[in-house]
Amino acid sequence: WRNVESADYKDYIANLRAIQCPEETVRDIIIADVSKFYAERLKPFRKSVAEFQFWKNEQNWGGRNESDEYRIMQREVEKERLALLRELLGSDYEKEMAKQYGFWNRGDDPFNEKLSRETKDRIFEITSKLGDERNEIYRNAKGHHDEETQEDLRKIEKKQREEMAKIFSPEDLFEWELRNSILAQSMRWNELAGFDATEEEFRAVFKAKQMSEEARVDSSLNSDTAALEAQNKAQKEAEDALKNTLGEDRYKEYQMAQNWEFKEVARITDRQGLPKESAIKVYEMKESVEKAAREIKADKSFTTEQRRAKLLEVQKATKAEVTTLLGERGYKSWNRNAWWVRNLVPPEPTPGRTSP
């Protein structure tokens, strides 16, 4: 191996190929070696493990290793690492690795594939710099994402959009944000859970949310009556356009998918491999059950004991139906947050005290 390994990476690669080392293995070896080399360069800028103070809150928000000097160096090192790997292995080495290991690569997307290396490098610079600013906001917030924190984050998003607009046409900027913006990520990971949007629907929802978000940012930066009216108008126009695109039935499903109670039951059915219809039935059950409970509570012909017995029947029937739809395990998960079911029946009167 001493005859193969070399301090010069180009010679190292040539030696590996000379002994007929498979190209995939050549890539693995070089990537690991280069990554280790640049990790060593970062070591002097890190605090030692011995300095970690587990009892301090800031240690849990990226404060242990991420000094300003460290973050700047980390960005520079990563830029150099990627540039060296492209030089040694070819600009499409990441795509080849994706094929080798069977995972998705951004370069496979037709939009990303057409971007020049210069554009990609500029994107890296912008997102890295603003990523540092975003992380600083998260660190300062220490997990408390109040309105002030949210406003600071919206300002970062606005700044990123302005920077990206300098290198993209309006059409390409929209395409890039569809794939890479925090709004798009939030939609994929959270807001559209249980909606199962088509590409056309995802684009329509994204456009509507983007219009609303831009109006909200402008309103927060210009807190006057005109800005607020403009925000309300933009949000209404966005919702109307979305409803028109989706159609009445799909718009209703979209609105349902925004409800946290539906999201919870949709996650349960997804984990259990159950049909989406089961989640819808459980979610829609709440309205009819609570209506029945209100009617029982309003019926003056019942005594306190009779009213309680009737409500217990409704509660028991509801739990049984949910168990049928979700199974025992799914019901247990659902029941942890099903406060409305537990609240159907008032607590038993305290002994010795007359119920009102």
Side-chain angles (χ1 to χ4, degrees), residues 54-68:
F54 66 87
W55 60 92
K56 290 196 174 180
N57 186 43
E58 62 266 20
Q59 301 289 337
N60 297 313
W61 299 103
R64 182 166 72 90
N65 287 329
E66 296 191 359
S67 63
D68 289 340

Side-chain angles (χ1 to χ4, degrees), residues 4 25 81 106 138 151 157 179 182 204 236 248 314 319 354:
V4 174
T25 307
R81 186 184 76 87
R106 289 180 186 273
Y138 285 128
E151 184 174 333
E157 292 308 299
R179 293 157 172 79
I182 288 181
K236 185 178 185 309
E248 189 173 344
V314 171
K319 291 180 177 181
T354 305

Side-chain angles (χ1 to χ4, degrees), residues 296-303 307:
I296 292 171
K297 291 175 182 179
D299 193 329
K300 302 298 183 182
S301 67
F302 293 134
T303 64
R307 186 176 296 110

Side-chain angles (χ1 to χ4, degrees), residues 107-123:
D108 294 330
D109 183 275
F111 173 77
N112 288 317
E113 194 168 17
K114 76 175 186 178
L115 299 179
S116 67
R117 173 48 53 193
E118 181 182 2
T119 299
K120 290 179 180 177
D121 288 344
R122 181 69 184 126
I123 291 170

Side-chain angles (χ1 to χ4, degrees), residues 139-157:
R139 276 190 296 274
N140 292 336
K142 297 181 180 179
H144 304 293
H145 291 184
D146 55 18
E147 183 54 38
E148 183 179 353
T149 300
Q150 295 300 325
E151 184 174 333
D152 289 340
L153 290 171
R154 286 195 287 269
K155 289 177 182 177
I156 294 293
E157 292 308 299

Side-chain angles (χ1 to χ4, degrees), residues 24 46 55 96 116 119-120 164 174 196 234 251 269 326 354:
E24 294 87 350
R46 283 195 178 117
W55 60 92
E96 291 302 317
S116 67
T119 299
K120 290 179 180 177
M164 290 299 179
F174 181 76
D196 193 23
Y251 182 73
T269 54
L326 302 183
T354 305

Side-chain angles (χ1 to χ4, degrees), residues 93-105 108:
Y93 82 92
E94 290 167 308
K95 183 185 290 189
E96 291 302 317
M97 284 187 65
K99 290 179 183 177
Q100 177 184 338
Y101 293 107
F103 56 79
W104 181 77
N105 179 57
D108 294 330

